[in-house]
Amino acid sequence: MPAEAPPSVDSAPVLVVSGLSGAGKSTALHALEDLGFEVVDNLPLALFDRLLEAGPDTKTPPRRLALGIDSRTRGFDADAIVARLAALREEGVDVRLLFLDCGSDDELTRRFSETRRRHPLALDRPAADGIAAERTLLGPLRRWADVVVDTSDFRAADLRQHIADRFDAGAGHAPTLTILSFGFARGLPRDADLVFDMRFLSNPHWNLALRPLTGEDAAVADHIRADPAFQPAFDRIVDLLLTLLPGYVREGKAYLTVALGCTGGRHRSVFVARGVAERLTAAGYAPHVIHRDKTDVILPAVETDPQLELATA
Protein backbone atom coordinates (compact mmCIF):
# COMPACT_ATOMS: atom_id res chain seq x y z
CA MET A 1 0.00 0.00 0.00
CA PRO A 2 1.13 3.59 -0.50
CA ALA A 3 2.72 5.24 2.51
CA GLU A 4 -0.20 7.70 2.79
CA ALA A 5 -3.64 6.45 1.71
CA PRO A 6 -5.56 8.81 -0.55
CA PRO A 7 -8.64 10.47 0.97
CA SER A 8 -11.29 8.70 -1.11
CA VAL A 9 -11.32 6.22 -3.95
CA ASP A 10 -15.05 6.61 -4.58
CA SER A 11 -14.90 9.93 -6.43
CA ALA A 12 -11.45 9.74 -8.04
CA PRO A 13 -11.53 11.10 -11.61
CA VAL A 14 -9.12 8.34 -12.78
CA LEU A 15 -9.69 4.78 -11.60
CA VAL A 16 -7.38 1.96 -12.67
CA VAL A 17 -9.07 -1.44 -12.46
CA SER A 18 -6.97 -4.58 -12.35
CA GLY A 19 -7.20 -8.07 -10.93
CA LEU A 20 -6.94 -11.78 -11.47
CA SER A 21 -8.41 -13.34 -14.60
CA GLY A 22 -11.84 -14.68 -13.64
CA ALA A 23 -12.19 -12.41 -10.62
CA GLY A 24 -14.71 -10.12 -12.33
CA LYS A 25 -12.77 -7.24 -13.91
CA SER A 26 -14.94 -7.18 -17.02
CA THR A 27 -18.11 -7.21 -14.89
CA ALA A 28 -16.75 -4.34 -12.78
CA LEU A 29 -15.85 -2.29 -15.87
CA HIS A 30 -19.31 -2.83 -17.36
CA ALA A 31 -20.86 -1.71 -14.07
CA LEU A 32 -18.67 1.40 -14.02
CA GLU A 33 -19.65 2.19 -17.61
CA ASP A 34 -23.32 1.96 -16.59
CA LEU A 35 -22.55 4.48 -13.84
CA GLY A 36 -21.25 6.98 -16.38
CA PHE A 37 -17.52 6.23 -16.39
CA GLU A 38 -15.59 6.45 -19.63
CA VAL A 39 -14.11 2.95 -19.78
CA VAL A 40 -10.98 1.87 -21.67
CA ASP A 41 -9.95 -1.76 -21.27
CA ASN A 42 -6.55 -3.29 -22.03
CA LEU A 43 -5.03 -0.10 -23.37
CA PRO A 44 -1.35 -0.71 -24.28
CA LEU A 45 0.76 0.77 -21.51
CA ALA A 46 2.69 2.85 -24.05
CA LEU A 47 -0.55 4.79 -24.65
CA PHE A 48 -1.43 5.21 -20.97
CA ASP A 49 0.21 8.62 -20.51
CA ARG A 50 -1.05 9.82 -23.87
CA LEU A 51 -4.64 9.09 -22.83
CA LEU A 52 -4.27 11.01 -19.59
CA GLU A 53 -2.61 13.94 -21.38
CA ALA A 54 -5.50 14.14 -23.83
CA GLY A 55 -7.76 15.39 -21.06
CA PRO A 56 -11.58 15.32 -21.11
CA ASP A 57 -13.69 15.98 -24.18
CA THR A 58 -14.77 19.61 -23.89
CA LYS A 59 -17.86 18.96 -26.05
CA THR A 60 -19.44 16.62 -23.50
CA PRO A 61 -19.94 16.78 -19.71
CA PRO A 62 -16.85 15.61 -17.76
CA ARG A 63 -16.80 11.88 -16.96
CA ARG A 64 -14.65 9.85 -14.63
CA LEU A 65 -12.18 7.59 -16.40
CA ALA A 66 -11.79 3.85 -15.68
CA LEU A 67 -8.78 2.06 -17.17
CA GLY A 68 -8.68 -1.73 -17.24
CA ILE A 69 -5.21 -3.24 -16.92
CA ASP A 70 -4.33 -6.89 -16.38
CA SER A 71 -1.83 -9.57 -17.36
CA ARG A 72 -3.13 -9.57 -20.94
CA THR A 73 -2.25 -5.89 -21.43
CA ARG A 74 0.52 -5.37 -23.98
CA GLY A 75 3.81 -4.54 -22.29
CA PHE A 76 2.47 -5.52 -18.86
CA ASP A 77 4.90 -4.86 -16.01
CA ALA A 78 3.34 -4.61 -12.56
CA ASP A 79 6.31 -2.84 -10.96
CA ALA A 80 6.44 -0.30 -13.78
CA ILE A 81 2.70 0.35 -13.44
CA VAL A 82 3.01 0.92 -9.71
CA ALA A 83 5.91 3.30 -10.26
CA ARG A 84 3.98 5.24 -12.91
CA LEU A 85 0.86 5.53 -10.76
CA ALA A 86 2.96 6.76 -7.83
CA ALA A 87 4.61 9.33 -10.09
CA LEU A 88 1.24 10.52 -11.34
CA ARG A 89 0.12 11.12 -7.78
CA GLU A 90 3.27 13.10 -7.14
CA GLU A 91 2.35 15.18 -10.17
CA GLY A 92 -1.09 15.87 -8.69
CA VAL A 93 -3.16 13.44 -10.77
CA ASP A 94 -5.95 11.99 -8.65
CA VAL A 95 -5.60 8.34 -9.66
CA ARG A 96 -6.73 5.29 -7.67
CA LEU A 97 -6.32 1.53 -8.09
CA LEU A 98 -9.14 -1.00 -7.64
CA PHE A 99 -8.01 -4.63 -7.55
CA LEU A 100 -10.41 -7.54 -8.11
CA ASP A 101 -9.19 -10.64 -6.27
CA CYS A 102 -10.57 -14.10 -5.65
CA GLY A 103 -9.00 -15.71 -2.63
CA SER A 104 -10.24 -19.19 -3.52
CA ASP A 105 -8.23 -20.92 -6.23
CA ASP A 106 -10.91 -23.61 -6.36
CA GLU A 107 -13.55 -20.98 -7.15
CA LEU A 108 -11.41 -19.46 -9.91
CA THR A 109 -10.82 -22.91 -11.40
CA ARG A 110 -14.57 -23.60 -11.28
CA ARG A 111 -15.30 -20.35 -13.12
CA PHE A 112 -12.90 -21.21 -15.93
CA SER A 113 -14.40 -24.69 -16.13
CA GLU A 114 -17.99 -23.39 -16.31
CA THR A 115 -17.24 -20.73 -18.93
CA ARG A 116 -15.02 -23.12 -20.92
CA ARG A 117 -12.40 -20.41 -21.29
CA ARG A 118 -8.66 -20.96 -21.03
CA HIS A 119 -6.60 -19.04 -18.50
CA PRO A 120 -4.50 -16.45 -20.42
CA LEU A 121 -1.32 -17.63 -18.67
CA ALA A 122 -2.05 -21.35 -19.07
CA LEU A 123 -3.22 -21.88 -22.62
CA ASP A 124 -1.75 -25.39 -22.74
CA ARG A 125 -1.66 -26.22 -19.02
CA PRO A 126 -4.20 -26.63 -16.19
CA ALA A 127 -5.92 -23.44 -15.08
CA ALA A 128 -4.40 -23.83 -11.61
CA ASP A 129 -0.93 -23.24 -13.08
CA GLY A 130 -2.05 -19.99 -14.68
CA ILE A 131 -3.76 -18.83 -11.49
CA ALA A 132 -0.60 -19.37 -9.44
CA ALA A 133 1.57 -17.59 -12.01
CA GLU A 134 -0.81 -14.65 -12.23
CA ARG A 135 -0.98 -14.19 -8.45
CA THR A 136 2.77 -13.73 -8.45
CA LEU A 137 2.75 -11.49 -11.51
CA LEU A 138 0.05 -9.17 -10.13
CA GLY A 139 1.38 -9.14 -6.56
CA PRO A 140 2.77 -5.57 -6.70
CA LEU A 141 -0.57 -4.21 -7.93
CA ARG A 142 -2.54 -5.96 -5.22
CA ARG A 143 -0.20 -4.69 -2.51
CA TRP A 144 -0.37 -1.13 -3.83
CA ALA A 145 -4.15 -1.08 -4.46
CA ASP A 146 -6.36 1.45 -2.68
CA VAL A 147 -9.27 -0.99 -2.67
CA VAL A 148 -9.18 -4.79 -2.91
CA VAL A 149 -12.47 -6.61 -3.53
CA ASP A 150 -12.50 -10.37 -2.96
CA THR A 151 -15.19 -11.82 -5.25
CA SER A 152 -14.93 -15.43 -4.02
CA ASP A 153 -18.52 -15.42 -2.74
CA PHE A 154 -19.92 -12.94 -5.30
CA ARG A 155 -22.27 -13.65 -8.13
CA ALA A 156 -21.96 -11.30 -11.09
CA ALA A 157 -25.03 -9.41 -9.83
CA ASP A 158 -23.45 -9.07 -6.37
CA LEU A 159 -20.31 -7.53 -7.85
CA ARG A 160 -22.32 -5.10 -9.99
CA GLN A 161 -24.25 -4.05 -6.88
CA HIS A 162 -21.04 -3.65 -4.86
CA ILE A 163 -19.51 -1.44 -7.56
CA ALA A 164 -22.70 0.61 -7.84
CA ASP A 165 -22.93 1.08 -4.06
CA ARG A 166 -19.36 2.33 -3.92
CA PHE A 167 -18.91 4.35 -7.09
CA ASP A 168 -22.35 5.68 -7.99
CA ALA A 169 -21.97 9.45 -7.68
CA GLY A 170 -25.49 10.09 -8.97
CA ALA A 171 -28.94 9.75 -7.48
CA GLY A 172 -29.20 6.01 -7.86
CA HIS A 173 -28.93 3.10 -10.23
CA ALA A 174 -32.49 1.88 -10.68
CA PRO A 175 -33.28 0.28 -14.04
CA THR A 176 -34.70 2.34 -16.88
CA LEU A 177 -38.40 1.63 -16.31
CA THR A 178 -40.92 1.66 -19.15
CA ILE A 179 -44.68 1.26 -18.74
CA LEU A 180 -46.07 0.13 -22.08
CA SER A 181 -49.70 -0.17 -23.17
CA PHE A 182 -50.49 -2.37 -26.16
CA GLY A 183 -53.21 -4.28 -27.99
CA PHE A 184 -53.17 -8.08 -28.07
CA ALA A 185 -54.72 -7.87 -31.55
CA ARG A 186 -51.37 -6.55 -32.78
CA GLY A 187 -49.17 -8.99 -30.89
CA LEU A 188 -47.21 -9.09 -27.67
CA PRO A 189 -44.38 -6.55 -27.32
CA ARG A 190 -41.08 -8.35 -27.83
CA ASP A 191 -39.18 -6.50 -25.11
CA ALA A 192 -41.76 -6.94 -22.32
CA ASP A 193 -40.42 -8.31 -19.03
CA LEU A 194 -43.80 -8.39 -17.24
CA VAL A 195 -47.18 -8.58 -19.00
CA PHE A 196 -50.60 -7.89 -17.45
CA ASP A 197 -53.83 -8.65 -19.32
CA MET A 198 -56.56 -5.99 -18.88
CA ARG A 199 -59.18 -7.76 -21.00
CA PHE A 200 -61.12 -8.83 -17.89
CA LEU A 201 -62.32 -5.22 -17.51
CA SER A 202 -65.49 -3.86 -19.12
CA ASN A 203 -64.62 -2.85 -22.69
CA PRO A 204 -65.38 0.81 -23.62
CA HIS A 205 -65.27 -0.24 -27.27
CA TRP A 206 -68.90 -1.40 -27.03
CA ASN A 207 -70.07 2.07 -26.03
CA LEU A 208 -70.40 3.96 -29.32
CA ALA A 209 -69.81 7.30 -27.56
CA LEU A 210 -66.54 6.03 -26.04
CA ARG A 211 -65.22 4.06 -29.01
CA PRO A 212 -63.44 7.00 -30.74
CA LEU A 213 -61.83 8.08 -27.43
CA THR A 214 -58.78 6.64 -25.64
CA GLY A 215 -57.87 5.69 -22.11
CA GLU A 216 -56.59 9.21 -21.54
CA ASP A 217 -60.09 10.68 -21.86
CA ALA A 218 -62.10 11.28 -18.69
CA ALA A 219 -65.24 9.51 -19.94
CA VAL A 220 -63.28 6.32 -20.67
CA ALA A 221 -61.57 6.56 -17.28
CA ASP A 222 -64.94 6.83 -15.53
CA HIS A 223 -66.23 3.81 -17.45
CA ILE A 224 -63.27 1.64 -16.42
CA ARG A 225 -63.29 2.80 -12.79
CA ALA A 226 -66.97 1.84 -12.58
CA ASP A 227 -66.07 -1.81 -13.15
CA PRO A 228 -66.04 -3.44 -9.67
CA ALA A 229 -63.05 -5.57 -10.72
CA PHE A 230 -60.87 -2.58 -11.55
CA GLN A 231 -59.74 -1.15 -8.21
CA PRO A 232 -58.76 -4.35 -6.39
CA ALA A 233 -56.90 -5.65 -9.44
CA PHE A 234 -55.17 -2.32 -10.03
CA ASP A 235 -54.04 -2.09 -6.41
CA ARG A 236 -52.65 -5.62 -6.50
CA ILE A 237 -50.71 -4.95 -9.72
CA VAL A 238 -49.13 -1.85 -8.21
CA ASP A 239 -48.33 -3.67 -4.95
CA LEU A 240 -46.70 -6.49 -6.93
CA LEU A 241 -44.55 -4.06 -8.91
CA LEU A 242 -43.47 -2.22 -5.76
CA THR A 243 -42.47 -5.60 -4.30
CA LEU A 244 -40.51 -6.70 -7.39
CA LEU A 245 -38.73 -3.47 -8.35
CA PRO A 246 -36.24 -3.39 -5.42
CA GLY A 247 -35.20 -6.92 -6.39
CA TYR A 248 -34.54 -5.88 -9.97
CA VAL A 249 -32.44 -2.99 -8.63
CA ARG A 250 -30.40 -5.38 -6.45
CA GLU A 251 -29.83 -7.68 -9.42
CA GLY A 252 -28.49 -4.77 -11.48
CA LYS A 253 -31.11 -5.00 -14.24
CA ALA A 254 -30.54 -2.08 -16.61
CA TYR A 255 -33.94 -2.03 -18.37
CA LEU A 256 -37.38 -3.17 -17.25
CA THR A 257 -40.53 -3.01 -19.39
CA VAL A 258 -43.93 -3.55 -17.80
CA ALA A 259 -46.57 -4.14 -20.49
CA LEU A 260 -50.33 -3.82 -19.97
CA GLY A 261 -52.53 -5.07 -22.76
CA CYS A 262 -56.15 -5.02 -23.83
CA THR A 263 -57.77 -6.03 -27.11
CA GLY A 264 -57.03 -2.99 -29.26
CA GLY A 265 -54.60 -1.06 -27.05
CA ARG A 266 -56.68 2.17 -27.01
CA HIS A 267 -58.79 2.15 -23.86
CA ARG A 268 -58.23 -0.15 -20.89
CA SER A 269 -54.50 -0.71 -21.26
CA VAL A 270 -53.85 3.00 -21.82
CA PHE A 271 -55.82 4.02 -18.74
CA VAL A 272 -54.25 1.40 -16.48
CA ALA A 273 -50.71 2.09 -17.77
CA ARG A 274 -51.15 5.75 -17.01
CA GLY A 275 -52.40 4.98 -13.50
CA VAL A 276 -49.58 2.53 -12.79
CA ALA A 277 -47.00 5.10 -13.91
CA GLU A 278 -48.51 7.72 -11.61
CA ARG A 279 -48.40 5.37 -8.62
CA LEU A 280 -44.79 4.34 -9.32
CA THR A 281 -43.78 7.99 -9.73
CA ALA A 282 -45.30 8.75 -6.33
CA ALA A 283 -43.23 5.87 -4.91
CA GLY A 284 -39.99 7.48 -6.14
CA TYR A 285 -39.46 5.77 -9.50
CA ALA A 286 -39.19 7.56 -12.85
CA PRO A 287 -41.12 5.47 -15.41
CA HIS A 288 -41.39 6.29 -19.09
CA VAL A 289 -44.86 5.73 -20.55
CA ILE A 290 -45.37 4.47 -24.10
CA HIS A 291 -48.78 3.79 -25.69
CA ARG A 292 -47.88 1.52 -28.58
CA ASP A 293 -51.30 1.16 -30.21
CA LYS A 294 -53.31 4.11 -28.86
CA THR A 295 -53.39 5.99 -32.17
CA ASP A 296 -53.88 2.99 -34.44
CA VAL A 297 -56.93 2.78 -36.69
CA ILE A 298 -59.92 1.42 -34.76
CA LEU A 299 -60.53 -2.19 -35.75
CA PRO A 300 -63.44 -4.43 -34.80
CA ALA A 301 -62.79 -5.90 -31.36
CA VAL A 302 -61.92 -9.55 -31.07
CA GLU A 303 -64.05 -9.82 -27.96
CA THR A 304 -67.77 -10.43 -28.40
CA ASP A 305 -70.23 -7.77 -27.29
CA PRO A 306 -72.01 -9.24 -24.22
CA GLN A 307 -75.33 -7.70 -25.28
CA LEU A 308 -74.98 -9.23 -28.75
CA GLU A 309 -74.42 -12.64 -27.18
CA LEU A 310 -77.65 -12.30 -25.20
CA ALA A 311 -79.60 -11.13 -28.26
CA THR A 312 -78.53 -14.13 -30.34
CA ALA A 313 -78.79 -16.75 -27.60
Side-chain angles (χ1 to χ4, degrees):
M1 292 288 293
E4 182 177 356
S8 172
V9 70
D10 303 354
S11 58
V14 181
L15 180 67
V16 175
V17 182
S18 188
L20 296 175
S21 300
K25 182 173 73 76
S26 295
T27 298
L29 288 173
H30 289 153
L32 290 168
E33 190 169 28
D34 289 343
L35 296 175
F37 280 75
E38 181 179 0
V39 173
V40 181
D41 192 15
N42 281 325
L43 180 76
L45 295 181
L47 301 178
F48 183 81
D49 287 351
R50 191 176 303 176
L51 177 63
L52 294 181
E53 291 169 0
D57 183 356
T58 57
K59 297 180 181 179
T60 60
R63 299 166 64 192
R64 291 176 289 173
L65 179 64
L67 300 176
I69 295 176
D70 60 27
S71 60
R72 299 169 300 160
T73 301
R74 183 186 302 177
F76 181 82
D77 182 331
D79 290 318
I81 294 171
V82 168
R84 186 64 191 119
L85 294 178
L88 286 170
R89 284 193 183 170
E90 290 293 327
E91 296 167 11
V93 178
D94 192 4
V95 59
R96 307 286 189 259
L97 176 59
L98 167 67
F99 190 91
L100 281 301
D101 196 2
C102 182
S104 169
D105 285 1
D106 289 341
E107 173 61 17
L108 276 178
T109 301
R110 183 191 65 79
R111 292 177 186 177
F112 277 102
S113 176
E114 286 190 352
T115 60
R116 300 182 180 181
R117 297 189 64 189
R118 295 184 182 275
H119 193 285
L121 299 186
L123 298 179
D124 57 352
R125 302 195 308 278
D129 292 351
I131 293 168
E134 194 172 41
R135 284 195 188 281
T136 301
L137 185 66
L138 297 180
L141 286 176
R142 191 188 190 287
R143 291 189 292 273
W144 200 83
D146 301 290
V147 175
V148 176
V149 177
D150 189 333
T151 67
S152 299
D153 298 321
F154 280 14
R155 301 169 301 151
D158 297 329
L159 178 55
R160 287 194 297 269
Q161 184 64 46
H162 182 86
I163 294 296
D165 289 341
R166 179 133 203 175
F167 295 100
D168 187 2
H173 42 271
T176 298
L177 177 59
T178 300
I179 308 299
L180 173 70
S181 72
F182 72 97
F184 280 97
R186 294 163 179 81
L188 283 167
R190 292 185 177 182
D191 58 348
D193 297 290
L194 300 170
V195 177
F196 296 93
D197 186 349
M198 299 295 105
R199 289 176 293 184
F200 67 92
L201 296 171
S202 175
N203 191 351
H205 176 85
W206 301 119
N207 185 318
L208 295 180
L210 301 180
R211 186 175 296 183
L213 306 179
T214 74
E216 294 187 323
D217 291 298
V220 172
D222 291 342
H223 177 94
I224 296 172
R225 286 196 197 96
D227 188 328
F230 164 73
Q231 197 62 53
F234 177 80
D235 289 340
R236 283 168 174 76
I237 290 171
V238 172
D239 288 344
L240 176 61
L241 292 175
L242 291 176
T243 300
L244 297 178
L245 283 170
Y248 287 121
V249 172
R250 288 193 303 271
E251 290 298 307
K253 190 170 179 62
Y255 299 94
L256 181 69
T257 298
V258 179
L260 300 115
C262 61
T263 305
R266 286 179 54 85
H267 299 112
R268 293 165 292 182
S269 61
V270 170
F271 172 71
V272 177
R274 184 179 179 184
V276 167
E278 290 173 354
R279 289 279 291 271
L280 294 181
T281 299
Y285 294 94
H288 304 275
V289 181
I290 297 175
H291 299 305
R292 191 189 75 177
D293 302 323
K294 184 186 74 170
T295 59
D296 283 3
V297 176
I298 303 175
L299 299 174
V302 175
E303 298 169 359
T304 304
D305 185 344
Q307 295 182 350
L308 181 60
E309 287 183 340
L310 291 175
T312 57

